[in-house]
Amino acid sequence: MNFNEFAANNQVFTTQMLLEATGSSPSVSVALSRAVKSGRVIKVRTGIYVSQLGRFQGVQADPYLIATVFRPDAVFIYHSALVLQGLAHSVSNRIQFMTSDVSSVFFYSGIEFSCRLSRPNAQTEVLHARAYGSITVTTREQTLVDCMAKIGMAGGAEEVVRSFAGLPYADINNILLCLDQYPPSVASRIGWYLEANQERWAVPDKILIGIESMISEKASYKLDPTYKHFDAYSTRWRLNLPASEETIESWMEF
């Protein structure tokens, strides 16, 4: 297979993929360099490219495909997991994923690709789509806890609450397993959220009592630390809320 044939059949590829498919002769490197200079291939970052040849001419590459080609072991997290699970309330120009051995940030076509080191014991699942084939994401329960833990990474309190309003069911036991990885401030946020959705998700009272025991009676937590002012307070969960109870209730409507 020559360079043009390869680039016409692989929209996103790495240098390693190219050389393995075509051989490592100097002519292949020369052809790649010329294609980049002519705009027939676009360089995303060192070692990864997007083809504009053949059926890919003028076609924007799916950012999740770029991420998975960059790191085949990618696990999508935070707001990117919400998008892939069909839950995200708003669009985002950030692709967030974790891998086993690299941490980096790069930009391409107005999108930020944020790669973090993997966390042990994170719950994951595999999704399938035509654009990128199989893709790994954190489970919905893991995503909920992760987003509550790093709420700014998921677009803020309103985005997180509105996004999970579209989730009709969650495995409470799996949420508790995920919660073991995080400090009391996250238990406070999860406890508050589960109580607010107790009827919808059939959350037993004993679960809420157990989560309540994880937080300090003298503590004062924040649902969204990026806010400077808070309009409501949950006494049970020692939690400062960034909007009135009525407003937050409207966020939970689907």
Side-chain angles (χ1 to χ4, degrees):
M1 179 182 293
N2 62 34
F3 172 79
N4 286 336
E5 290 173 333
F6 176 85
N9 288 282
N10 293 273
Q11 185 180 25
V12 182
F13 62 91
T14 64
T15 305
Q16 181 179 354
M17 290 168 60
L18 172 64
L19 295 178
E20 287 177 352
T22 63
S24 55
S25 67
S27 62
V28 174
S29 297
V30 171
L32 173 61
S33 179
R34 288 176 177 172
V36 171
K37 289 181 180 179
S38 67
R40 294 182 300 135
V41 169
I42 302 171
K43 182 178 180 180
V44 176
R45 55 165 291 163
T46 301
I48 185 167
Y49 303 88
V50 170
S51 173
Q52 292 289 287
L53 276 69
R55 68 180 186 276
F56 304 129
Q57 184 175 359
V59 178
Q60 189 81 349
D62 188 288
Y64 294 96
L65 175 60
I66 293 174
T68 53
V69 170
F70 170 59
R71 295 300 304 173
D73 67 336
V75 176
F76 292 89
I77 55 178
Y78 300 128
H79 196 268
S80 291
L82 291 176
V83 172
L84 292 168
Q85 291 158 346
L87 295 173
H89 176 70
S90 304
V91 297
S92 173
N93 63 350
R94 179 190 291 176
I95 303 297
Q96 303 154 305
F97 55 103
M98 58 184 182
T99 72
S100 60
D101 62 359
V102 67
S103 178
S104 67
V105 175
F106 61 93
F107 296 84
Y108 171 72
S109 192
I111 297 174
E112 175 187 318
F113 291 80
S114 178
C115 177
R116 295 168 170 260
L117 288 174
S118 298
R119 300 189 315 275
N121 304 319
Q123 298 179 20
T124 64
E125 62 181 339
V126 177
L127 304 179
H128 304 276
R130 179 177 298 178
Y132 42 72
S134 297
I135 200 166
T136 305
V137 303
T138 49
T139 63
R140 293 177 175 185
E141 292 81 7
Q142 183 75 60
T143 303
L144 171 64
V145 178
D146 289 350
C147 288
M148 284 294 187
K150 300 286 186 181
I151 208 160
M153 298 293 293
E158 181 175 358
E159 176 65 17
V160 171
V161 173
R162 286 189 181 278
S163 294
F164 280 100
L167 181 60
Y169 169 80
D171 188 316
I172 306 304
N173 289 327
N174 281 342
I175 290 177
L176 294 180
L177 289 175
C178 299
L179 197 54
D180 286 342
Q181 308 169 44
Y182 287 107
S185 59
V186 182
S188 169
R189 297 169 194 164
I190 291 296
W192 165 81
Y193 188 82
L194 291 182
E195 183 181 42
N197 292 274
Q198 184 174 10
E199 182 177 351
R200 178 165 69 100
W201 285 358
V203 183
D205 287 332
K206 65 179 182 180
I207 295 294
L208 297 176
I209 293 171
I211 296 175
E212 189 177 7
S213 69
M214 300 177 187
I215 65 178
S216 170
E217 295 181 359
K218 298 180 180 179
S220 180
Y221 306 110
K222 300 174 182 177
L223 176 60
D224 190 336
T226 65
Y227 279 74
K228 294 182 179 180
H229 303 286
F230 298 90
D231 295 334
Y233 181 75
S234 171
T235 302
R236 179 177 188 181
W237 303 106
R238 311 289 189 269
L239 191 63
N240 291 280
L241 303 172
S244 67
E245 292 182 1
E246 292 78 11
T247 297
I248 292 178
E249 285 178 4
S250 72
W251 296 352
M252 294 186 183
E253 296 175 355
F254 182 70

